Amino acid sequence: MATRTICRVFKRRFASAAEALRLSPAEIRSERNAIFSREQARQRAVYPRIEKIEVSMEGPGLDGTLLIMNRGMSTPLSCARHLTEYHVTNSALALVDGEPWPLHQPLTRSCSLTLLTFKDADPTIVNQAYWRSCAALLGQVLETAFKDDYTVELLSTPEVPVISGAFCCDVVLDPQLDSWTPSEESLRSLSKGALQLIHQDLAWEPLEVTPPVALEVFSHSRCKKEEVEQKASQSPNGTVMLYRCGDHVLLSGGPLVARTGLCLQYEVTALHSLGPGPWGPRRRAQGLSLPLQLQAHHTVWKKLRHRAQKLVDVPAPEEATPPPPPDSPQPPTGQ
């Protein structure tokens, strides 16, 4: 309840600020970066003295390996650098005491650590983080693909499983683009923008923040303020997770992989119209990608691409199946 009240207060404050200052997309990105860097520096200053923690490594060939690291400074990637080049280049995500943990997020306690790759026996967690990361990359491309005269509002990114065939990014484009239908050349241009970011091998830097900080970051976004409130209410700590990739700051509902360079094949396959929404006509951008450790023959890629062009149906929250009424008979649970 307190989180919701705080969010309302800051929404009112920053809504008026957004109306007063009409910044260009480039200026907004610069402002978000400054707020992110300021909060990142503040959090790092919480640990002024070096305190040691014990990190017990788990995984093939690592059981029994104990690393002495620095609390609030060392990350899972720091730990990987004490192992082998394979662990540095192939690790995409980590498990800290069994919980998913971004590779660039500092460790705050003694813990067990498992480094995850795309070739693990069960890559479910890292695959989902990869799909989420590819959608984040698509949003970054869309936000910078148009001239500064056009605005692009990134909506809440649909959380879709890898088996859906495509990752998604929902957007509202500038009203001047309402009649625009992307051509194949337009989609290739978007794909080229993504591949340029992949070639730069940019890190996805995580930063866990309170709702007021997140609202300040997205003070110029109409729709992100509601998403901040929603994600904060769903978080056990009442916080939200931000990521920065280059000069792009985003809000994520789950962990992302370590860096853009883990992507290999990447293609923007479609931009579907979804109809009217509270912020304007909604569109769903979709794409297909495979990570660096996995490659597909061009004939297989062609089939996957064809599938990724079809609209991915994401049920709205109100369309979710409601729980059975209390008096309805429950299914058997087995013997």
Side-chain angles (χ1 to χ4, degrees):
M1 194 66 184
T3 297
R4 191 177 298 272
T5 303
I6 292 173
C7 285
R8 288 199 186 102
V9 170
F10 275 83
K11 279 199 291 186
R12 287 196 296 268
R13 178 183 301 177
F14 292 116
S16 59
E19 289 296 326
L21 298 174
R22 294 293 184 180
L23 303 182
S24 69
E27 290 171 327
I28 291 174
R29 287 195 298 274
S30 177
E31 184 174 299
R32 288 176 178 173
N33 261 290
I35 298 170
F36 188 101
S37 295
R38 184 193 69 200
E39 176 63 15
Q40 188 180 62
R42 187 197 68 78
Q43 291 189 18
R44 288 175 176 173
V46 171
Y47 304 95
R49 299 176 60 184
I50 296 179
E51 298 179 36
K52 297 299 181 180
I53 57 174
E54 294 184 350
V55 180
S56 176
M57 300 301 303
E58 297 181 353
L62 295 177
D63 289 343
T65 301
L66 184 66
L67 301 177
I68 306 300
M69 308 301 290
N70 297 322
R71 180 185 179 211
M73 299 172 58
S74 300
T75 66
L77 183 60
S78 306
C79 297
R81 293 193 177 109
H82 285 278
L83 303 174
T84 68
E85 186 65 24
Y86 172 86
H87 293 98
V88 174
T89 58
N90 290 276
S91 297
L93 195 67
L95 292 179
V96 172
D97 291 336
E99 295 297 323
W101 195 276
L103 229 59
H104 295 283
Q105 185 172 353
L107 301 168
T108 57
R109 63 183 185 274
S110 294
C111 59
S112 65
L113 175 65
T114 305
L115 298 172
L116 303 180
T117 75
F118 296 103
K119 290 192 174 182
D120 291 342
D122 182 6
T124 302
I125 295 176
V126 72
N127 282 348
Q128 191 60 44
Y130 180 75
W131 218 232
R132 192 182 297 117
S133 305
C134 289
L137 187 61
L138 179 53
Q140 182 170 352
V141 170
L142 288 168
E143 194 174 69
T144 57
F146 302 92
K147 296 179 180 179
D148 274 359
D149 297 334
Y150 300 98
T151 59
V152 176
E153 287 275 1
L154 299 180
L155 304 179
S156 179
T157 302
E159 189 78 7
V160 297
V162 177
I163 58 173
S164 63
F167 50 82
C168 308
C169 178
D170 288 357
V171 297
V172 172
L173 301 181
D174 194 283
Q176 300 177 75
L177 299 171
D178 283 353
S179 60
W180 175 66
T181 301
S183 62
E184 284 295 322
E185 180 60 32
S186 300
L187 296 178
R188 281 194 293 269
S189 178
L190 293 173
S191 299
K192 183 178 179 181
L195 291 171
Q196 289 174 345
L197 293 173
I198 291 169
H199 180 70
Q200 293 177 46
D201 197 20
L202 301 171
W204 269 297
E205 303 175 68
L207 188 67
E208 188 175 6
V209 302
T210 60
V213 174
L215 288 171
E216 185 179 3
V217 169
F218 297 109
S219 61
H220 297 281
S221 173
R222 299 172 299 167
C223 58
K224 285 298 178 184
K225 299 168 189 175
E226 293 185 4
E227 189 179 353
V228 167
E229 182 175 343
Q230 178 189 28
K231 283 184 166 47
S233 66
Q234 296 170 348
S235 168
N237 301 324
T239 57
V240 295
M241 184 66 80
L242 304 181
Y243 281 85
R244 180 168 63 182
C245 182
D247 64 353
H248 177 69
V249 179
L250 65 139
L251 183 65
S252 180
L256 305 184
V257 298
R259 52 193 174 87
T260 61
L262 288 171
C263 303
L264 179 61
Q265 294 169 283
Y266 190 107
E267 188 169 350
V268 181
T269 57
L271 187 62
H272 297 284
S273 295
L274 300 179
W279 311 112
R282 297 178 302 136
R283 306 214 191 186
R284 176 161 297 158
Q286 297 182 185
L288 174 67
S289 181
L290 285 175
L292 189 62
Q293 295 169 324
L294 303 173
Q295 299 183 40
H297 190 270
H298 67 88
T299 55
V300 176
W301 180 261
K302 185 176 180 180
K303 293 180 179 178
L304 293 173
R305 181 182 181 276
H306 178 72
R307 181 186 177 192
Q309 290 175 323
K310 300 177 181 178
L311 175 64
V312 174
D313 185 27
V314 180
E318 63 269 19
E319 296 173 353
T321 304
D327 296 332
S328 63
Q330 299 296 316
T333 57
Q335 301 298 322

